Amino acid sequence: MNLHHLLNARRMAGKPVRVALIGAGKFGSMFLSQVPHTPGLEVPVIVDLDPDRAREACRSVGWDAERVAATSFSADAAKATSDNIEVIVEATGNPAVGIRHARAAIAAAKHIVMVNVEADVLAGPLLAEEARRAGVVYSLAYGDQPALTAEMVDWARAIGFRVVAAGKGTKYLPAYHDVTPSGVWSHYGLTAAEAQSAGMNPQMFNSFLDGTKSAIEMAAIANATGLKVPGDGLSFPPCGVDDLPHVMRPRAAGGVLETSGVVEVVSSLERDGRPVFRDLRWGVYVVLEAPNDYAADCFRQYGLKTDASGRFAAMYKPYHLIGLELNISILSAALRGEPTGQPQGFRGDVASVAKRSLRAGEMLDGEGGYTVWGRLMPASASLKAGALPIGLAHKVKLKNDIAHGAVVKWSDVEIDGDSETVRTRRAMEARFGGTC
């Protein structure tokens, strides 16, 4: 709660926190919009595949000509590890590229903030361990829902409560798992032309809709907090904020959870498509259990939403502001040497599942595409099944036919076992082995 004070002290000492941003998309642009309003924080280097686009992004979010002129824009990621950089933000969204950039940052003794949750879920436990050995911080990105949820879990545990469930809200119906980029915009109330004019990527937005992004984010939370992954994957129960402590409790207590201490996503839609009352579509939550009657009485006395027993209560944050909040991670790493969420084990994995019947010879197209979506699985179950991680389902050819709804396995695809990404993933599996 004193980051601003610590940053001001650095500013007064003439030692600003200097950041390199890799990836100036929407998340990166939102972060950049806050930089001119955060004295003591500087971004002298921005790396993007299109430096001119990144430069224009800075202008569009309010950077003046002097600040733009003082910034180095490059397509060369090596620029991010220059000597005067303290923190690197990886915001590309590409798992293979993210792993490479994280390792380069760690090798250069820079803190790394991983907006790239896709890379984190593919190999984050190993990358975090490498960072700890190197004496630098590897952190989830504050503003994104995994870090915000991990913070709420830590808050609950630090004050002595057992966490029953934690996660986020989203818009979900079972049919969404099979939606492809060509049909995504109608579910957002947009036309293809409107989305294109706004610069919206249909495959990225489809990954939010088809359940893949939810699976990735819940895996990241499980790996960072030690919470369990539901054995059958996410069930996306419809639930508003007032009903969180009633719905998100174990079945034995009248709720929908198979057990206590799990991650789960709640839907903002009833199964018939009606909106949930007071939904949590944009937010995060934690459900906790009173350890004794006195604490339960306090829940009631101070107005917490509880179930009928009064023993289960919920806290929630109704919104997340993604890149606008990213400074919290950057400053926590640079000024406190602490992550805002970090994988500690391999508890959750995201398997590739066929959106339709697939044929040998077809190419998989990854998150939000036409061929597969990502299903959350306990890591141990994923390893036992030989499931192909969604982060590796990019531009790989099928060797076998896959039935609609079936999990794609490593043995079903032609994959380069010598690639850095595959070797890193295999090393993570060997090191952590599905610590569910």
Side-chain angles (χ1 to χ4, degrees):
M1 297 173 69
N2 62 346
L3 286 176
H4 182 258
H5 171 76
L6 293 173
L7 179 61
N8 193 52
R10 285 281 296 264
R11 181 184 66 82
M12 295 293 289
K15 298 178 181 180
V17 175
R18 296 171 69 86
V19 180
L21 171 67
I22 306 178
K26 179 62 173 176
F27 198 114
S29 294
M30 292 178 77
F31 158 64
L32 293 171
S33 74
Q34 297 302 102
V35 172
H37 310 291
T38 315
L41 179 70
E42 297 181 359
V43 183
V45 177
I46 299 176
V47 176
D48 194 272
L49 292 175
D50 187 343
D52 289 336
R53 183 190 67 175
R55 188 177 286 106
E56 182 55 35
C58 289
R59 296 191 184 103
S60 70
V61 301
W63 282 30
D64 60 28
E66 182 180 1
R67 188 179 294 272
V68 171
T71 302
S72 172
F73 295 87
S74 176
D76 182 4
K79 301 290 186 182
T81 57
S82 58
D83 289 342
N84 63 355
I85 296 299
E86 193 168 353
V87 182
I88 294 174
V89 174
E90 214 297 337
T92 66
N94 183 306
V97 170
I99 289 170
R100 186 164 67 248
H101 290 161
R103 280 199 154 141
I106 294 166
K110 312 295 184 184
H111 303 307
I112 177 75
V113 175
M114 288 294 279
V115 177
N116 192 338
V117 70
E118 293 81 4
D120 177 76
V121 169
L122 189 61
L126 186 67
L127 298 174
E129 184 176 72
E130 291 174 356
R132 289 192 292 269
R133 285 202 302 262
V136 296
V137 173
Y138 173 101
S139 179
L140 298 178
Y142 201 90
D144 234 352
Q145 287 160 307
L148 297 179
T149 306
E151 178 185 52
M152 295 188 78
V153 170
D154 185 68
W155 165 84
R157 288 170 169 169
I159 57 177
F161 290 113
R162 184 173 70 158
V163 173
V164 176
K168 68 166 195 169
T170 196
K171 180 181 180 181
Y172 171 84
L173 289 174
Y176 290 170
H177 291 312
D178 293 340
V179 175
T180 67
S182 63
V184 67
W185 297 127
S186 64
H187 298 288
Y188 286 98
L190 298 169
T191 67
E194 288 170 338
Q196 184 176 14
S197 67
M200 300 167 72
N201 182 315
Q203 185 158 344
M204 180 184 72
F205 276 82
N206 197 44
S207 73
F208 303 151
L209 188 74
D210 71 8
T212 300
K213 193 72 169 181
S214 290
I216 289 171
E217 292 186 332
M218 293 305 104
I221 293 167
N223 292 340
T225 63
L227 291 172
K228 295 185 285 290
V229 168
D232 294 328
L234 297 173
S235 61
F236 299 92
C239 184
V241 295
D242 299 324
D243 292 328
L244 282 168
H246 177 76
V247 175
M248 305 307 293
R249 56 184 178 168
R251 291 170 193 158
V256 302
L257 305 177
E258 63 182 38
T259 187
S260 184
V262 298
V263 295
E264 185 58 270
V265 176
V266 296
S267 176
S268 64
L269 295 177
E270 302 287 354
R271 288 297 190 260
D272 61 5
R274 289 178 298 116
V276 164
F277 179 66
R278 282 176 40 85
D279 68 80
L280 193 66
R281 179 178 176 183
W282 307 107
V284 298
Y285 76 91
V286 61
V287 172
L288 43 92
E289 184 177 2
N292 50 49
D293 291 340
Y294 183 83
D297 288 343
C298 290
F299 288 169
R300 176 179 52 80
Q301 293 160 5
Y302 287 87
L304 269 71
K305 296 295 183 182
T306 69
D307 71 332
S309 76
R311 299 302 290 260
F312 296 93
M315 293 290 282
Y316 62 91
K317 189 172 186 177
Y319 303 105
H320 69 295
L321 298 177
I322 62 170
L324 298 181
E325 300 181 81
L326 184 61
N327 284 358
I328 301 298
S329 288
I330 292 167
L331 300 181
S332 181
L335 305 177
R336 289 180 177 157
E338 294 181 353
T340 52
Q342 180 189 88
Q344 304 294 321
F346 182 35
R347 303 178 71 86
D349 198 15
V350 184
S352 305
V353 176
K355 287 188 171 184
R356 55 177 172 79
S357 294
L358 303 173
R359 299 299 176 211
E362 287 194 67
M363 297 289 289
L364 301 183
D365 57 355
E367 299 102 324
Y370 289 84
T371 57
V372 291
W373 62 278
R375 175 186 292 162
L376 182 66
M377 294 181 69
S380 56
S382 175
L383 294 182
K384 184 177 180 180
L388 180 71
I390 192 70
L392 294 178
H394 296 257
K395 297 181 180 179
V396 292
K397 183 183 290 187
L398 286 172
K399 296 192 295 185
N400 303 315
D401 294 346
I402 308 295
H404 179 203
V407 171
V408 181
K409 301 179 180 180
W410 285 85
S411 58
D412 291 320
V413 298
E414 296 176 4
I415 198 161
D416 180 7
D418 291 328
S419 75
E420 178 187 3
T421 309
V422 172
R423 285 188 285 106
T424 301
R425 168 65 188 208
R426 289 302 201 188
M428 192 274 287
E429 292 176 352
R431 170 67 181 85
F432 292 92
T435 49
C436 294

